[in-house]
Amino acid sequence: MKHHLFTPPGQQALEAVMQRRPLLAFDFDGTLAPIVTRPDDARVAIGVAHRLEQLAEHLPVAIVTGRRVDDVAPRLGFDPHYIIGNHGAEDPEQPALPPEVYIALTDKLNALRLKIETSAEALASAGIQVEDKRHSLAFHYRLARDRDAALVTIETLLRGLDPALASFGGKCVVNVVAADAPDKGDAVAMLVARSKSDAAMFVGDDLNDESVFESAQPHWLTVRIGRDDPLSRARFYLDTHSEVATMLQKMLALLR
Ligand SMILES: [Mg+2]
């Protein structure tokens, strides 16, 4: 059974990782910002942003999100050292995909975009919003009156998906990415190297964060927001996103 981060084993793990001056990497939705009905309303609270800004004066701080980089940046309230978007596939400093792979991906996604256009009415009437994030597509169904029916509509649309593409779920969302695109686990490992860090601490809350939890090295610290997924590979948990400010405060205290 995993421990809450605010227990003696959690405090020990936090102290151990902070001594290594780790890369600090955070998911955005559901982690730094609460999940909201309209994704456009999501923002980092001032108190959380202020603590992150203070941490970023001492350690490399990264945001690793499913959102587009230019979508998430203005919602943070502070400047992290790195932002990786599109579930790991969008890296503004260095294209994550070689150009020929990227062109092939665009073609595959274009075929799906056409299919979405012809199904636009069915998707809209099921309460599904399609978000085109260039490197990936997201089918949001949080606002659907019948979420189960909306999920069936999405699954039907994605039946026979091109094997060059892959789909995965999340909280009221189905994402489509290139099958060989880097995931969040790849992104955090790359950022550890890029920031010349010796370790990483990563906090996330959803399925696309599991790639980091699974690939984390033994001396890294991984924390999941919420214990609603008993299969999660995160080593510690917090009960809700509202405990994040306290976690950041504890991290700041360990720097002093
Ligand atoms: Mg999340």
Side-chain angles (χ1 to χ4, degrees), residues 27-31 35 184 204-206 208-209:
D27 166 51
F28 176 73
D29 291 281
T31 300
I35 301 239
K184 285 192 177 193
D205 76 311
D206 209 344
N208 62 353
D209 301 310

Side-chain angles (χ1 to χ4, degrees), residues 233-251:
R233 300 285 299 274
R235 301 206 175 106
F236 292 88
Y237 68 85
L238 292 177
D239 280 312
T240 77
H241 137 273
S242 62
E243 290 172 324
V244 167
T246 307
M247 175 190 74
L248 298 175
Q249 196 59 46
K250 287 176 186 284
M251 291 158 68

